[in-house]
Amino acid sequence: MSTEPIRIARKRGGEVDVEGPVDEFAAQILDRAGFIFRPILGGVWIRLHFDTGQQHENQQATYAAQMLHAAGYQVDLDPSLLPAAGHRAPVSWWPPRAPYSPPHPAPNSTHQLRR
């Protein structure tokens, strides 16, 4: 997995597209989130369908970013995609997940030592 983030942004023309190191698994996640893949010279253009409405595009982009983040990818989500989706901070600003550690048992105050 690359250390370079996958960037999801709204471009000047209004389209929402993806740039960065998209491997096979990330491509499956983006496809699941509604992104389409179009061949272009020098690669593939990954974008959302045009004219589905900004709020819907924002929701799809945020959903994709959340799934990518949950899968362990570094994601840079354009802040202009967040407000309609109800998020306050870009996905890349979320704190990293802490490794799982089982909870420590609470001290048992009713248990007394016998001598």
Side-chain angles (χ1 to χ4, degrees), residues 59 62 81-89:
Q59 289 170 346
T62 302
L81 296 170
L82 294 170
H87 295 279
R88 297 176 191 249

Side-chain angles (χ1 to χ4, degrees), residues 4 7 10 13 15-18 20-21 33 36 38 46-47 50 52 60 72-75 80 82-84 98 109:
E4 180 185 350
R7 289 173 300 286
R10 184 175 304 280
E15 71 276 7
V16 176
D17 68 9
V18 176
I36 58 174
R38 296 292 182 248
I46 307 169
R47 64 171 174 85
F50 295 131
T52 59
Q60 283 184 282
Y73 291 93
Q74 294 291 324
V75 182
S80 71
L82 294 170
S109 59

Side-chain angles (χ1 to χ4, degrees), residues 28-68:
Q28 290 177 5
I29 291 171
L30 291 166
D31 178 60
R32 177 78 175 181
F35 282 81
I36 58 174
F37 298 74
R38 296 292 182 248
I40 58 171
L41 292 174
V44 176
W45 182 21
I46 307 169
R47 64 171 174 85
L48 289 175
H49 290 275
F50 295 131
D51 300 327
T52 59
Q54 271 195 342
Q55 183 174 4
H56 187 257
E57 291 169 350
N58 292 358
Q59 289 170 346
Q60 283 184 282
T62 302
Y63 178 58
Q66 290 172 333
M67 287 194 303
L68 288 166

Side-chain angles (χ1 to χ4, degrees), residues 73-112:
Y73 291 93
Q74 294 291 324
V75 182
D76 184 15
L77 182 62
D78 182 347
S80 71
L81 296 170
L82 294 170
H87 295 279
R88 297 176 191 249
V91 174
S92 60
W93 292 356
W94 289 357
R97 290 182 286 165
Y100 175 76
S101 63
H104 298 289
N108 190 349
S109 59
T110 60
H111 181 70
Q112 296 177 357

